[in-house]
Amino acid sequence: MGVFILRRFVSAILVMFSISILVFLIFFATPGVDPAARIAGRSATPQVVAQVKHEFGLDRPLPIRYGLMMDHLFIKQDLSSYVNVGYKVIPQIEAAAPVTLSLVLGAAVIWLIVGVAGGVIAAANRGKFIDPLIMFLGIAAISVPAYWLGQVVNLITQSKLHSSIFSWVPPSGYVALSSNPGEWALHLLFPWLTLAALYAGIYARVLRAELVNALNEDYVRTARAKGLSERRILLRHALRCSLISIVSLFGLDFGSLIGGAALLTEVVFGLPGVGQLTYTALQNLDLPVIMGTVMYGAFFVVLANAVVDVAYGFLDPRVRLA
Amino acid sequence: MHAVDGLSLSVGRKEVVGIVGESGSGKSVSMYSMLGLLREANVSVTGSVKFEGRELLGLADREMRVLRGRDIGMIFQDPMTALTPVYKVGWQIAEQIRAHQDVTKAQARQRAIELLGEVGIPEPHRRVDQFPHEFSGGMRQRVVIAMALSCNPKLLIADEPTTALDVTTQAQILELMGKLQDTYDSSIVLITHDMGVISEIADRVVVMYAGRPAEIGDRRAVIRTPQHPYTWGLLGAVPRVETKRSRLATIPGTPVSPLNVPTGCAFAPRCEHRFEKCDERPTLRGDGHLDACWLTIEQKVHLRAGAVETGGHA
């Protein structure tokens, strides 16, 4: 198992390295595009373009350019934006990352609990009233887009019912966990629920399908022949085997959300996270910031996948050999 | 539709009863239904199932559960899929022991190691902590047998326990079951489509066709003097060393669909000895050795001589 984990993380590092090269090539070696002009921004003076050229070594060979870029990004961490002159990229990402992490982690806890519970309850009550009810709620949650749900939640909690039952809801924004944990949770409660709704719906539906499949497996028949209770068969045998697909789904969703896919929720609730940072950078064509957030996003997707693979190893002994 | 119809069967203490028939003849379904292992909402089981004088049909699931695994053990056809892939085999055996007996985890594990040794798995101390995928098919079937035996069941139901295994392993598993039956004093119901397996270990044989019993009798009687034309066909399909025959006999046609069983004798459409009477459904007749065929004893003796000579229906 130790070897398996080590091997998995070594390969994750190699993947990260390849991604950094790929991202670098896209930004700096796309034929017909002058990277200096792009980095300098739309209305840059020739002096600024020349400065960029020098700073990124654009007149030198590609491998050196790559080294300089990585130096700016990770070692000196002084890559700065030319659109908003003076803003450094790395500190911006470092400020935005905790917001996104708080949002996605909290939502993940909610959607995992709700999704797994929903899937298990629906599968245990196949053919009864509660099963189609849960599945309908799931499809409803999947169908509602986050920006619409978020706006409705805002409308209700901030405006329509703010004077009565939702008077305790703070105005949108973010309070750091370190400064006030209670306020942190209170500010994030509705963003969490909004973001979790879609995923809870997906997970409940996927898990129900997996469980129904698993309950038709031979090993479940063996478990029944052993005289185990239906509850134990469902939870210890069928659910345990079905969790494998839930975990792989979770790795993909979690990685991409941390990497910026929670953008809509962040924008609707005024949370200054990575998604919003990327969004603004894209609007301004702020290339250094875009590059920084792309690297950051790739990092979390790769990391999440590595963690998921290790979790696989714990859940499914057959994976450890591979 | 009737997947199984009119089957009546008794198993004595320490007796080995073999149920034989083609695929889809209702062998497995009849056993699963008796134990409440058919969970589909639209399955109905009628009749009576008695275990040590106690009626099993209609028993609450909780009471049935106590019997399953403790008094009645089961071995399944495909050992590759019969074990939960994510748990160690020792854990799975211990799980069953702990479901029925008040023992500690360590005791259950110790018992699992003993059982693995008894069913002929080398190095049980090490193997107990391995996962199913680390065992070969034959070894997995031994694990399944060890599990079925873990609570000293009085009745063991083996559903084609050797079908998925290669021939040498088949012989070993059969030998093992025979040996364990002696040690544990269990009765065995052995479901198979292989007359060869039946002739190895069964005391009594039930031949099934289309969900109905075609012939019931002692192994010796059924194999030496089969009464039902279907049994003749089954016996003709067993390869023999001593006879020089270029082709193995087959029964013409395919088994009838349970959706479409004829009103008369179910085997009549494939039987070359059918006559007018076969439009009426035959009942099981005979003294000790029962069969459901309208032919008279004399006719059977005469026809069988020919049938066995030419190897059933060529």
Side-chain angles (χ1 to χ4, degrees), chain B residues 56-224:
Chain B
L56 298 191
L57 283 190
L59 213 57
D61 194 53
R62 194 181 320 154
E63 294 168 82
M64 197 64 211
R65 227 156 53 209
V66 177
L67 289 176
R68 277 203 304 260
R70 191 189 70 184
D71 295 329
I72 305 175
M74 275 206 84
I75 304 170
F76 296 101
Q77 175 171 354
D78 189 355
M80 305 311 272
T81 55
L83 295 163
T84 309
V86 298
Y87 293 121
K88 293 171 180 167
V89 296
W91 186 93
Q92 300 194 41
I93 298 174
E95 184 188 32
Q96 176 165 2
I97 298 172
R98 280 168 59 77
H100 297 289
Q101 292 168 10
D102 189 20
V103 294
T104 64
K105 271 196 174 132
Q107 286 169 322
R109 184 189 146 86
Q110 194 50 43
R111 176 89 182 104
I113 295 175
E114 283 166 29
L115 281 161
L116 289 177
E118 271 180 65
V119 296
I121 291 177
E123 294 185 80
H125 285 280
R126 191 172 63 82
R127 302 288 268 176
V128 73
D129 285 326
Q130 288 189 335
F131 291 96
H133 70 270
E134 295 172 274
F135 289 77
S136 67
M139 284 295 156
R140 278 192 222 187
Q141 192 64 298
R142 286 171 196 265
V143 171
V144 174
I145 293 174
M147 202 149 81
L149 291 173
S150 60
C151 298
N152 301 330
K154 292 163 189 143
L155 174 64
L156 198 59
I157 295 175
D159 182 10
E160 310 216 19
T162 57
T163 305
L165 304 174
D166 69 71
V167 182
T168 25
T169 321
Q170 281 186 11
Q172 289 168 3
I173 294 289
L174 284 180
E175 194 186 330
L176 173 69
M177 286 178 58
K179 202 181 85 193
L180 293 171
Q181 194 224 353
D182 280 345
T183 337
Y184 283 84
D185 282 350
S186 308
S187 317
I188 298 182
V189 174
L190 178 71
I191 301 171
T192 178
H193 58 250
D194 185 346
M195 267 299 196
V197 169
I198 291 285
S199 64
E200 293 268 343
I201 81 170
D203 297 321
R204 225 146 48 79
V205 182
V206 178
V207 180
M208 285 190 66
Y209 186 78
R212 299 172 184 172
E215 183 165 352
I216 300 178
D218 288 341
R219 170 187 52 173
R220 190 175 287 261
V222 171
I223 287 177
R224 294 234 176 122

Side-chain angles (χ1 to χ4, degrees), chain A residues 82-96:
Chain A
Y82 282 85
V83 178
N84 302 309
V85 183
Y87 279 108
K88 289 200 169 154
V89 174
I90 304 299
Q92 270 184 300
I93 294 177
E94 277 171 357

